[in-house]
Amino acid sequence: MAINLNKVVLRISAGTPKQFPADPIPQIAFSGRSNVGKSSLINLLLGRKSLARVSSAPGKTITVNFYDLDGKLFFVDLPGYGFAKRTKEDQARWSGLTDGYFTANRNIDRLKLVAQLIDSRIGPTKDDEMMLDFLNRSGIPFLVVATKCDKLNKTERAAAEALLKNHPLIPGETSVLFLSAQSGEGKEELKRQLGYFAGVQF
């Protein structure tokens, strides 16, 4: 089933689980810490410059954004985590909303894959490891996208690859893709894998 990327809209920025759309179509969720590059990645995959807003203040917006791809697939942008300047009230909202996506989502059975983004320059943070642990325990299929790889030199890249591929919370069969929103490296392979899990063609 081919997707027309000219027919992509932001369906809703949901502030509560009750607002999550109930369309019976597959979902792919994007998870990661604030400022890891989720918006840039989504724009890259969709061939847009600013459909997903790249915030100047990471962690400012706490919503689950549902992007409708040609009525055949949702890209679900989960709110970024691990932003230290967030108030305790905002942290509680983030936890409740993200948890709600996985526990109060009427269409959780439509979730085909989580793309877990990790900054390749930093490696998995404690917050990343909490998310990886949750994904492992829940049995939700996931792959790892190591972002901002264009910032690494050859030695740093090799070290980052070894760290991720040998991490105890990233099973050996899990795909680890290095991606740059600047150069486009990794884009086509990521699209291929997302399409495979969702049963669509980009």
Side-chain angles (χ1 to χ4, degrees):
M1 180 168 58
I3 285 181
N4 183 352
L5 290 181
N6 291 317
K7 295 182 178 180
V8 177
V9 296
L10 172 60
R11 171 73 72 85
I12 189 170
S13 293
T16 69
K18 290 182 179 179
Q19 295 178 314
F20 296 165
D23 308 48
I25 59 177
Q27 299 183 10
I28 289 176
F30 295 82
S31 168
R33 60 190 285 272
S34 296
N35 206 29
V36 74
K38 282 193 288 91
S39 296
S40 296
L41 171 61
I42 291 171
N43 285 329
L44 176 70
L45 291 173
L46 299 179
R48 305 294 181 90
K49 289 187 177 180
S50 58
L51 182 64
R53 296 184 183 88
V54 179
S55 176
S56 59
K60 183 178 180 181
T61 303
I62 306 176
T63 56
V64 177
N65 297 324
F66 286 80
Y67 296 92
D68 182 333
L69 280 59
D70 195 18
K72 298 170 184 173
L73 173 67
F74 279 125
F75 272 2
V76 184
D77 183 8
L78 299 174
Y81 53 73
F83 188 59
K85 293 183 180 179
R86 221 176 243 162
T87 65
K88 287 186 177 179
E89 180 180 339
D90 280 350
Q91 289 175 18
R93 280 186 59 213
W94 176 87
S95 297
L97 189 56
T98 302
D99 182 71
Y101 175 75
F102 293 104
T103 63
N105 182 356
R106 293 167 290 178
N107 273 1
I108 192 61
D109 60 317
R110 302 278 180 181
L111 176 60
K112 302 303 181 184
L113 181 74
V114 172
Q116 176 62 38
L117 277 63
I118 293 174
D119 191 325
S120 64
R121 304 168 301 172
I122 299 171
T125 64
K126 288 184 178 179
D127 292 307
D128 291 327
E129 290 178 339
M130 287 178 61
M131 191 66 196
L132 289 167
D133 182 59
F134 167 76
L135 292 170
N136 279 299
R137 287 186 289 106
S138 67
I140 297 170
F142 71 95
L143 56 75
V144 172
V145 181
T147 62
K148 307 182 183 183
C149 69
D150 56 290
K151 307 293 185 183
L152 303 177
N153 62 34
K154 198 171 183 179
T155 302
E156 292 168 338
R157 170 77 171 252
E161 289 179 352
L163 174 65
L164 291 172
K165 291 181 179 178
N166 294 300
H167 196 283
L169 292 174
I170 302 175
E173 68 275 11
T174 301
S175 291
V176 176
L177 305 177
F178 278 71
L179 185 132
S180 167
Q182 296 299 317
S183 70
E185 177 185 347
K187 171 186 172 182
E188 293 306 318
E189 176 60 17
L190 179 56
K191 286 173 69 174
R192 188 189 69 78
Q193 294 211 29
L194 298 184
Y196 171 78
F197 278 93
V200 300
Q201 290 182 324
F202 291 103

